[in-house]
Amino acid sequence: MFRLRMAGAQWRDRIGGAIGGAIGIGLTAWLSALLGFDQASAILLAAPIGASAVLVFAVPSSPLAQPWRVIGGNVVSALAGTLVAQWLGHGALAAGVAVGLAIALMSATGSLHPPGGGTALLPVLAPAVLAQGYAFAFLPVGLNAMLLTATGLLVHRVTGHSYPHRVRPAPPARGLLPEDVDAALAEAGEAFDVSREDLLALLARAESHAAARQR
């Protein structure tokens, strides 16, 4: 129960993801230092960007790891955190409202990205970050997110993964329609970290393998 393996995970991919994450975070840390951000702000910024790196390099097929979500999610969350910190200060109430508002705004803009919750906390936790105002959402947050995404594009091109993720074509599954997958997802009542298109393609391939085994 507590050791569920990620479907499709291969050690080759994990090693490539680790190398890519090291390169991506190294570049963003270098950029923050180059732009002259103080050490405290740079360390705080590293936390959500590090979480973004795990998604971009370890699970590039995840809807949560796609470029718009990495960039838009972090920028929107930084804006939300700055807005709340200006209104409510740096207490526990501000922290909760900042994360809640970030989730709502990311959902509304189609940029839901889990590390955005950490990004939203930065202005609330650090007065030095708040002092930079809304510009902080774009520089360094937005620029770092763009740099991380660009690194992901290059690394995954070398490792042979599609990023941004594109569904590999598969033969249609007999009798299975997209509406059937939608109905099954609605019945499950859960949000899964996989697109409907990927689910359809996986089911089609599974059906093809099952048919080949029965011949």
Side-chain angles (χ1 to χ4, degrees), residues 41-93:
S41 298
I43 291 174
L44 284 171
L45 180 61
I49 291 295
S52 294
V54 174
L55 288 170
V56 170
F57 296 102
V59 281
S61 64
S62 167
L64 301 174
Q66 301 313 298
W68 164 242
R69 293 178 182 260
V70 177
I71 299 169
N74 276 303
V75 170
V76 165
S77 297
L79 291 172
T82 301
L83 176 66
V84 171
Q86 288 180 342
W87 285 355
L88 300 177
H90 303 283
L93 176 61

Side-chain angles (χ1 to χ4, degrees), residues 35 43 75 107 114 165 194:
L35 293 174
I43 291 174
V75 170
S107 299
H165 178 63
V194 61

